């Protein structure tokens, strides 16, 4: 009888694990703002869409695999591997240059209702892309004001340190 209980317990744990880690369809759209933190005049409305599969992993990091749309930028076959603070680099296959290209860095809230993207820009001093707080571009959503976009970015940027 004891072996039956152990077997049922292991079976139940396996069912719960596979249910929890089963990839779910993720199709979310956000209206947000692209802006520069220290450039008062730059503000642009953007639409961001995540379209793919989101997998929760209890002993590892969550993963999004699919397409990321930012206005007219379509990043196909993106794989976002979120760390324990829900941050991930955004890398995608650039068909034009046939290379793996970095778009930036994404931070999401725990329930994926807020996000911030730090847009990497070409560094004129070397052949790489980077983002700097003093003059970098951010995309935050959902919001329709620059002030709230910066507030969301600050929340998600400082989340790991709280």
């Amino acid at each position: 009888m004891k072996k039956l209980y152990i077997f049922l317990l292991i079976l139940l744990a396996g069912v719960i694990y596979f249910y929890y880690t089963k990839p779910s369809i993720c199709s979310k759209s956000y209206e947000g703002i692209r802006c520069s933190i220290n450039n008062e005049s730059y503000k642009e409305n953007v639409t961001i869409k995540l379209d793919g599969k989101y997998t929760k992993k209890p002993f590892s990091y969550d993963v999004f695999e699919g397409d990321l749309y930012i206005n007219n930028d379509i990043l196909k076959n993106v794989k976002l591997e979120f760390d324990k603070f829900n941050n991930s680099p955004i890398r995608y296959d650039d068909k034009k240059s046939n290379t793996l290209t970095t778009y930036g860095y994404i931070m999401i809230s725990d329930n994926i209702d807020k996000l911030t993207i730090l847009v990497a820009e070409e560094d004129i001093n070397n052949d790489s892309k980077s983002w700097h707080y003093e003059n970098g571009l951010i995309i935050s959503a959902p919001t329709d004001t620059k002030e709230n976009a910066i507030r969301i970015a600050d929340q998600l940027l400082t989340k790991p340190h709280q």
Side-chain angles (χ1 to χ4, degrees):
M1 192 65 148
K2 186 176 181 181
K3 289 182 181 181
L4 178 64
Y5 286 131
I6 292 172
F7 173 75
L8 290 175
L9 185 62
I10 291 171
L11 183 64
L12 179 63
V15 168
I16 290 171
Y17 175 81
F18 285 111
Y19 176 77
Y20 181 78
T21 60
K22 179 183 170 197
S24 60
I25 300 296
C26 180
S27 184
K28 292 192 170 270
S29 291
Y30 308 87
E31 296 297 322
I33 298 289
R34 180 189 328 240
C35 62
S36 176
I37 293 174
N38 291 320
N39 181 345
E40 292 298 320
S41 62
Y42 182 70
K43 174 188 139 187
E44 176 187 356
N45 293 327
V46 295
T47 300
I48 303 131
K49 182 178 180 188
L50 293 168
D51 193 16
K53 293 184 179 180
Y54 192 85
T55 306
K56 291 183 172 279
K57 298 191 175 193
F59 305 111
S60 184
Y61 303 129
D62 295 352
V63 175
F64 169 83
E65 292 180 277
D67 301 330
L68 175 61
Y69 301 85
I70 304 169
N71 278 355
N72 295 327
D73 293 335
I74 302 170
L75 311 180
K76 294 289 216 180
N77 302 318
V78 171
K79 184 174 183 180
L80 304 175
E81 296 179 293
F82 294 100
D83 64 19
K84 63 183 176 181
F85 304 115
N86 292 337
N87 303 327
S88 174
I90 303 171
R91 295 188 191 101
Y92 67 99
D93 284 324
D94 186 353
K95 300 295 183 198
K96 295 175 194 167
S97 64
N98 202 26
T99 60
L100 188 62
T101 302
T102 299
Y103 185 86
Y105 205 74
I106 187 170
M107 293 154 287
I108 61 170
S109 60
D110 291 335
N111 54 2
I112 317 174
D113 65 338
K114 295 180 194 171
L115 64 82
T116 292
I117 298 172
L118 308 177
V119 180
E121 296 180 286
E122 295 291 334
D123 191 337
I124 57 173
N125 296 325
N126 57 35
D127 196 22
S128 67
K129 288 185 170 185
S130 61
W131 183 86
H132 301 283
Y133 189 86
E134 304 82 44
N135 61 356
L137 292 177
I138 63 168
I139 300 171
S140 288
T143 185
D144 58 357
T145 67
K146 181 175 180 175
E147 294 76 23
N148 201 29
I150 293 171
R151 188 175 306 114
I152 291 170
D154 285 340
Q155 287 173 352
L156 295 174
L157 278 166
T158 59
K159 184 174 87 171
H161 310 291
Q162 295 177 351

